[in-house]
Amino acid sequence: GVSVAWDYQEHEESIKQALDADLEARMIAVAGSPERAPLPEMNPVRKSFYTLEQMVFGLDSGNGGGSDEIDSKEEELRELLNGLRTSQRAFVVFETQEARDQAVELAAGGFEYEHQGGIVLWTLDAEPDTVQWVNYGHATAAEKTLKLLAGFGFIILACLFWAVIFYAPYAYYVMTFNYENGRQPGPMLSISFSMIVVVGNAIMYEVC
């Protein structure tokens, strides 16, 4: 079989939601729909917060969507899929390793398919769940270089933000503190420095 690597990076979230919904529907068709636990008794205030939570996070309240809404989503998904383009890569799965090696050997010099030349085969040891499918179509040398430069740029900007906004006031206070007569900064300064380190680590974890 052949698995085409589609270029869907700009629509990753929509595609993932559609795949998850399809998988859930197939599981329900096989195992049946799980019973929904009854809601506990709630006072008016808690019920209001519960309703607000459903709206904000888009959670299923148990009523389900109407047929018009479902048809609209299916039509939008169909238009999205019809507008997708393939990348320049595809995975060919053979029944045996010998058949794979033979095909690679026969196509060593490249071959032509539907008047398109320059097609080559090479072996790749990878499982389907280890392939970053969403990145196909965006892996040219120029795009990789731009992404690498952008990554370094974001890291440098995050370091500058932390240094100017958090560390600079601390450093200024330490440098301008009056150390006459053996005075030392209080314990709040140590606590502040600890919090500055924690915030800096959190920023770098988020960026990286």
Side-chain angles (χ1 to χ4, degrees):
V2 179
S3 296
V4 178
W6 293 86
D7 181 4
Y8 68 99
Q9 189 176 76
E10 297 179 357
H11 310 285
E12 178 183 4
E13 190 66 26
S14 300
I15 299 296
K16 186 177 184 303
Q17 290 179 357
L19 292 175
D20 291 342
D22 180 71
L23 178 60
E24 182 179 0
R26 292 174 184 269
M27 293 177 62
I28 291 176
V30 174
S33 179
E35 295 184 1
R36 182 182 296 273
L39 294 177
E41 293 292 334
M42 294 183 289
N43 57 46
V45 176
R46 186 178 178 186
K47 190 173 182 180
S48 300
F49 280 112
Y50 175 79
T51 304
L52 179 62
E53 184 182 82
Q54 303 296 310
M55 296 173 57
V56 171
F57 295 102
L59 301 177
D60 183 12
S61 61
N63 299 326
S67 59
D68 293 341
E69 181 180 356
I70 295 176
D71 293 340
S72 176
K73 289 183 178 180
E74 290 182 351
E75 183 62 28
E76 291 178 1
L77 179 61
R78 189 177 295 107
E79 292 180 359
L80 172 61
L81 295 178
N82 289 334
L84 290 180
R85 299 178 63 87
T86 63
S87 68
Q88 297 179 349
R89 302 287 188 270
F91 287 82
V92 183
V93 182
F94 296 89
E95 293 185 359
T96 64
Q97 183 173 345
E98 290 75 14
R100 180 203 66 181
D101 295 340
Q102 184 179 5
V104 172
E105 183 179 355
L106 292 174
F111 62 96
E112 182 177 322
Y113 178 75
E114 292 188 355
H115 308 293
Q116 295 291 330
I119 302 175
V120 295
L121 294 178
W122 69 88
T123 58
L124 180 65
D125 296 325
E127 295 296 328
D129 57 350
T130 65
V131 178
Q132 297 295 325
W133 298 96
V134 70
N135 290 333
Y136 279 96
H138 300 270
T140 63
E143 289 175 318
K144 289 181 180 179
T145 303
L146 288 176
K147 290 180 180 179
L148 183 63
L149 294 176
F152 280 116
F154 281 126
I155 293 174
I156 293 173
L157 288 176
C159 290
L160 290 176
F161 176 81
W162 173 78
V164 173
I165 302 299
F166 295 98
Y167 185 74
Y170 166 81
Y172 177 79
Y173 178 80
V174 172
M175 293 176 62
T176 58
F177 185 79
N178 186 3
Y179 291 94
E180 294 179 356
N181 301 322
R183 293 181 59 193
Q184 293 293 331
M188 286 301 299
L189 186 64
S190 298
I191 297 176
S192 300
F193 179 73
S194 300
M195 295 306 300
I196 289 173
V197 173
V198 170
V199 172
N201 289 339
I203 292 175
M204 298 311 299
Y205 287 149
E206 184 67 25
V207 172
C208 298

